[in-house]
Amino acid sequence: EKGGYASFMLKEIAEQPRAVADTLLGRIDGSGALSLDEVRIPPKALREADKVVIVACGTAFHAGLIAKYAIEHWTRIPCEVELASEFRHRDPILDPQTLVIAVSQSGETMDTLMALRHAREQGARVLAICNTNGSTIPRESDAVLYTHAGPEVAVASTKAFLTQLVACYLVALYLAQVRGAKYGDEIRAVVRDLGAIARSVERVLDTMEPVRELARTLAHKNTVLFLGRHVGYPVALEGALKLKELAYMHAEGFAAGELKHGPIALVEDDLPVVVVVPSPRGRSVLHDKMVSNIQEIRARGARTIVIAEEGDDEVVPYADHLILVPATPTLLQPLVTTVPLQVFACELATARGNEVDQPRNLAKSVTVE
Ligand code: F6R
């Protein structure tokens, strides 16, 4: 059932264009408006929400971190993201105006379930974003938006992550729509851009051979660092998590602006550093800062692996390895920049002789706290 692929992980990485398209299917009408009837939370309650809190674990938590940028930008509702395992133990401030979003592929993660139970006890409304029909987390939530990734068999999450992102964007846009957000035109444009994402992911997948080759040459390394800014920061965290769980390597993700506050001391000769570069269009300040960061680490000997947008000529002189992705609006960029990191981790793990579908010490769904 691996459909000719060497692992479920490779198959699931390849399925991502379809998974993204399926998660959008039927949720945007002909006029570009969102129709999320399945989100059975009364629009009045969504209009009155004064805070969004996202709870999740692992890769789903990274989707939540990215969702925060979209939700706050498009709706201007304050949004917090918290590791589900930490959430209830700090006595969080919750009330009926709080919208809690629980993100979970399996729908059975005990930490996330306990977090949402706690939220509901405090009167908050809970919306689940989940990939598994009828699982416990959606059953215990007020509403659910299903991701349509299809069954994910490999322990490391790939297609579920991309569809979690799509679902998070849909929820953010829906909240903006219901609340009559001031970004009306921008939102219509984003809806159009979302429609083009599946094709962009497909294009990324078609250009992954150099990434695989690079990964094989790094199989003997001990450490890989990942840097990002803005939505690229959670992408860096996700790239590092994939490498830890699959290749059993020391991998860390940092916000690039934090480099000078400590992590730059780690940089030594030939240390591989993956840099997720923001789009040079739009928020160019972010881009310029990132170019400086790449120069800083390279001057200290780092081997730079740069993920940048097609046409981004400025990064070329500082990239020891350049991975190009199609131009994508900043907030949606994680949908394309994550894919090379998945391929990189999978190939590196395979080169190290690891079993990618069943990494040691890990289970697909963590049903204990
Ligand atoms: C990483 C991974 C885990 C899960 C986490 C949450 O590749 O798969 O970090 O993302 O255990 O699982 P769900 O989404 O099922 O709640």
Side-chain angles (χ1 to χ4, degrees):
E1 343 116 56
K2 291 180 198 159
Y5 291 92
S7 63
F8 281 106
M9 187 175 177
L10 283 172
K11 173 171 175 272
E12 289 161 6
I13 288 173
E15 283 171 350
Q16 293 183 112
R18 197 268 311 142
V20 163
D22 283 357
T23 301
L24 288 169
L25 200 68
R27 288 168 168 169
I28 295 169
D29 72 17
S31 73
L34 285 103
S35 55
L36 298 186
D37 302 340
E38 51 203 299
V39 175
R40 293 186 196 287
I41 295 180
K44 181 167 178 291
L46 295 179
R47 275 193 290 275
E48 286 170 0
D50 61 9
K51 182 168 75 168
V52 176
V53 178
I54 303 177
V55 291
C57 303
T59 288
F61 172 71
H62 297 153
L65 290 176
I66 292 163
K68 174 186 166 83
Y69 289 84
I71 290 172
E72 291 196 338
H73 182 66
W74 292 331
T75 72
R76 309 311 293 160
I77 311 172
C79 175
E80 299 166 11
V81 193
E82 186 143 351
L83 290 167
S85 56
E86 289 292 322
F87 182 65
R88 70 197 169 97
H89 302 297
R90 72 172 170 91
D91 190 14
I93 301 165
L94 299 160
D95 61 33
Q97 269 83 55
T98 312
L99 175 64
V100 172
I101 303 178
V103 187
S104 173
Q105 187 285 130
S106 62
E108 301 296 347
T109 300
M110 188 54 76
D111 285 317
T112 310
L113 180 61
M114 296 309 279
L116 85 82
R117 281 185 184 158
H118 181 78
R120 291 195 77 194
E121 277 163 19
Q122 312 297 307
R125 289 177 195 265
V126 178
L127 168 66
I129 290 179
C130 184
N131 195 46
T132 312
N133 266 298
S135 56
T136 311
I137 286 171
R139 276 207 319 272
E140 293 205 15
S141 299
D142 294 284
V144 54
L145 185 66
Y146 280 109
T147 50
H148 294 155
E152 193 178 61
V153 178
V155 165
S157 191
T158 54
K159 63 176 181 172
F161 177 69
L162 255 60
T163 60
Q164 282 163 354
L165 287 178
V166 169
C168 286
Y169 293 129
L170 288 174
V171 168
L173 293 166
Y174 185 63
L175 276 174
Q177 176 177 298
V178 167
R179 295 165 70 99
K182 51 184 181 181
Y183 292 102
D185 285 340
E186 182 179 347
I187 284 165
R188 269 185 293 279
V190 174
V191 166
R192 263 199 314 277
D193 295 330
L194 264 178
I197 285 291
R199 179 75 198 105
S200 296
V201 173
E202 209 169 278
R203 279 183 51 205
V204 174
L205 289 169
D206 287 343
T207 57
M208 285 298 94
E209 195 44 44
V211 174
R212 281 189 282 269
E213 269 168 39
L214 169 65
R216 290 193 287 269
T217 66
L218 299 176
H220 63 287
K221 292 283 183 188
N222 296 317
T223 298
V224 180
L225 301 185
F226 293 76
L227 300 179
R229 279 181 182 266
H230 193 261
V231 290
Y233 168 41
V235 171
L237 296 178
E238 174 62 7
L241 177 61
K242 288 280 102 79
L243 207 56
K244 281 175 218 167
E245 64 181 336
L246 295 163
Y248 319 148
M249 284 167 88
H250 171 223
E252 273 191 87
F254 297 109
E258 274 294 292
L259 263 184
K260 56 185 173 299
H261 301 290
I264 199 161
L266 291 168
V267 177
E268 58 187 9
D269 204 32
D270 212 34
L271 175 78
V273 184
V274 179
V275 188
V276 184
V277 180
S279 167
R281 301 162 300 122
R283 269 162 249 239
S284 56
V285 180
L286 280 176
H287 180 267
D288 296 349
K289 286 187 187 298
M290 200 52 135
V291 174
S292 306
N293 293 138
I294 304 174
Q295 288 173 266
E296 282 156 17
I297 54 170
R298 203 158 180 268
R300 288 161 181 81
R303 170 143 35 139
T304 57
I305 302 163
V306 175
I307 302 180
E309 203 170 280
E310 284 165 0
D312 185 348
D313 298 328
E314 256 182 275
V315 296
V316 177
Y318 314 111
D320 295 308
H321 307 274
L322 185 60
I323 302 167
L324 293 174
V325 294
T328 306
T330 302
L331 281 169
L332 304 185
Q333 241 191 356
L335 289 167
V336 290
T337 49
T338 303
V339 176
L341 302 183
Q342 299 167 342
V343 172
F344 181 72
C346 187
E347 189 69 27
L348 220 159
T350 306
R352 283 164 78 98
N354 298 352
E355 165 54 65
V356 292
D357 286 340
Q358 288 287 342
R360 68 185 183 200
N361 308 340
L362 294 174
K364 182 66 184 159
S365 106
V366 185
T367 54
V368 291
E369 269 190 283

mmCIF file of all heavy atoms in Angstrom, residues 57-60 104-106 109 155-157 164 242 245, ligand 1:
data_model
loop_
_atom_site.group_PDB
_atom_site.id
_atom_site.type_symbol
_atom_site.label_atom_id
_atom_site.label_comp_id
_atom_site.label_asym_id
_atom_site.label_seq_id
_atom_site.Cartn_x
_atom_site.Cartn_y
_atom_site.Cartn_z
ATOM 1 N N CYS A 57 0.416 19.923 20.199
ATOM 2 C CA CYS A 57 1.724 19.354 20.535
ATOM 3 C C CYS A 57 2.536 19.140 19.253
ATOM 4 O O CYS A 57 1.971 18.898 18.187
ATOM 5 C CB CYS A 57 1.567 17.981 21.183
ATOM 6 S SG CYS A 57 0.550 17.988 22.647
ATOM 7 N N GLY A 58 3.840 19.182 19.398
ATOM 8 C CA GLY A 58 4.747 18.780 18.321
ATOM 9 C C GLY A 58 4.527 19.556 17.034
ATOM 10 O O GLY A 58 4.453 20.793 17.028
ATOM 11 N N THR A 59 4.392 18.827 15.955
ATOM 12 C CA THR A 59 4.210 19.445 14.640
ATOM 13 C C THR A 59 2.924 20.273 14.585
ATOM 14 O O THR A 59 2.899 21.354 13.996
ATOM 15 C CB THR A 59 4.215 18.329 13.566
ATOM 16 O OG1 THR A 59 5.564 17.857 13.441
ATOM 17 C CG2 THR A 59 3.736 18.817 12.231
ATOM 18 N N ALA A 60 1.876 19.783 15.225
ATOM 19 C CA ALA A 60 0.609 20.526 15.244
ATOM 20 C C ALA A 60 0.793 21.865 15.968
ATOM 21 O O ALA A 60 0.172 22.877 15.609
ATOM 22 C CB ALA A 60 -0.481 19.693 15.908
ATOM 23 N N SER A 104 -4.933 18.769 16.073
ATOM 24 C CA SER A 104 -4.404 17.417 16.283
ATOM 25 C C SER A 104 -4.677 16.529 15.073
ATOM 26 O O SER A 104 -5.826 16.431 14.623
ATOM 27 C CB SER A 104 -5.054 16.799 17.523
ATOM 28 O OG SER A 104 -4.679 15.449 17.652
ATOM 29 N N GLN A 105 -3.662 15.916 14.565
ATOM 30 C CA GLN A 105 -3.839 14.981 13.448
ATOM 31 C C GLN A 105 -4.671 13.793 13.898
ATOM 32 O O GLN A 105 -5.683 13.454 13.299
ATOM 33 C CB GLN A 105 -2.459 14.514 12.952
ATOM 34 C CG GLN A 105 -2.451 13.666 11.679
ATOM 35 C CD GLN A 105 -2.909 12.232 11.853
ATOM 36 O OE1 GLN A 105 -3.767 11.750 11.110
ATOM 37 N NE2 GLN A 105 -2.394 11.538 12.854
ATOM 38 N N SER A 106 -4.221 13.147 14.977
ATOM 39 C CA SER A 106 -4.847 11.893 15.410
ATOM 40 C C SER A 106 -6.186 12.116 16.105
ATOM 41 O O SER A 106 -7.064 11.255 16.070
ATOM 42 C CB SER A 106 -3.917 11.166 16.377
ATOM 43 O OG SER A 106 -3.715 11.964 17.543
ATOM 44 N N THR A 109 -4.444 12.756 21.021
ATOM 45 C CA THR A 109 -3.303 13.168 21.850
ATOM 46 C C THR A 109 -3.787 13.593 23.241
ATOM 47 O O THR A 109 -4.579 14.529 23.369
ATOM 48 C CB THR A 109 -2.545 14.315 21.148
ATOM 49 O OG1 THR A 109 -2.092 13.824 19.893
ATOM 50 C CG2 THR A 109 -1.367 14.794 21.978
ATOM 51 N N VAL A 155 5.106 7.876 11.157
ATOM 52 C CA VAL A 155 5.034 8.544 12.470
ATOM 53 C C VAL A 155 5.272 10.049 12.325
ATOM 54 O O VAL A 155 4.582 10.865 12.926
ATOM 55 C CB VAL A 155 6.032 7.893 13.452
ATOM 56 C CG1 VAL A 155 6.237 8.775 14.681
ATOM 57 C CG2 VAL A 155 5.507 6.524 13.889
ATOM 58 N N ALA A 156 6.244 10.430 11.516
ATOM 59 C CA ALA A 156 6.536 11.857 11.335
ATOM 60 C C ALA A 156 5.457 12.504 10.477
ATOM 61 O O ALA A 156 5.138 12.040 9.387
ATOM 62 C CB ALA A 156 7.900 12.035 10.687
ATOM 63 N N SER A 157 4.921 13.585 10.970
ATOM 64 C CA SER A 157 3.802 14.232 10.305
ATOM 65 C C SER A 157 4.279 15.082 9.129
ATOM 66 O O SER A 157 5.195 15.891 9.269
ATOM 67 C CB SER A 157 3.086 15.105 11.332
ATOM 68 O OG SER A 157 1.871 15.537 10.809
ATOM 69 N N GLN A 164 -3.113 21.012 8.148
ATOM 70 C CA GLN A 164 -3.413 21.783 9.366
ATOM 71 C C GLN A 164 -3.217 23.267 9.091
ATOM 72 O O GLN A 164 -3.997 24.112 9.534
ATOM 73 C CB GLN A 164 -2.492 21.357 10.518
ATOM 74 C CG GLN A 164 -2.904 20.050 11.170
ATOM 75 C CD GLN A 164 -1.803 19.423 12.007
ATOM 76 O OE1 GLN A 164 -0.666 19.888 12.035
ATOM 77 N NE2 GLN A 164 -2.136 18.351 12.699
ATOM 78 N N LYS A 242 11.768 17.552 12.520
ATOM 79 C CA LYS A 242 11.803 16.429 11.577
ATOM 80 C C LYS A 242 13.174 15.755 11.609
ATOM 81 O O LYS A 242 13.277 14.544 11.565
ATOM 82 C CB LYS A 242 11.504 16.898 10.145
ATOM 83 C CG LYS A 242 10.076 17.287 9.851
ATOM 84 C CD LYS A 242 9.140 16.123 9.582
ATOM 85 C CE LYS A 242 8.284 15.808 10.760
ATOM 86 N NZ LYS A 242 7.136 16.634 11.009
ATOM 87 N N GLU A 245 13.659 13.728 14.947
ATOM 88 C CA GLU A 245 12.890 12.491 15.102
ATOM 89 C C GLU A 245 13.259 11.431 14.069
ATOM 90 O O GLU A 245 13.149 10.246 14.355
ATOM 91 C CB GLU A 245 11.375 12.762 15.104
ATOM 92 C CG GLU A 245 10.802 13.328 13.832
ATOM 93 C CD GLU A 245 9.299 13.588 13.954
ATOM 94 O OE1 GLU A 245 8.633 12.946 14.781
ATOM 95 O OE2 GLU A 245 8.797 14.441 13.220
HETATM 96 C C1 F6R B 1 6.067 15.062 14.547
HETATM 97 C C2 F6R B 1 4.838 14.459 15.050
HETATM 98 C C3 F6R B 1 4.375 14.785 16.438
HETATM 99 C C4 F6R B 1 2.878 15.093 16.432
HETATM 100 C C5 F6R B 1 2.366 15.335 17.859
HETATM 101 C C6 F6R B 1 0.904 15.712 17.883
HETATM 102 O O1 F6R B 1 6.322 14.675 13.248
HETATM 103 O O2 F6R B 1 4.197 13.725 14.350
HETATM 104 O O3 F6R B 1 5.108 15.857 16.956
HETATM 105 O O4 F6R B 1 2.665 16.214 15.639
HETATM 106 O O5 F6R B 1 2.557 14.171 18.616
HETATM 107 O O6 F6R B 1 0.107 14.710 17.327
HETATM 108 P P1 F6R B 1 -1.385 14.978 16.913
HETATM 109 O O7 F6R B 1 -1.378 15.951 15.803
HETATM 110 O O8 F6R B 1 -1.923 13.638 16.508
HETATM 111 O O9 F6R B 1 -2.093 15.540 18.120
#
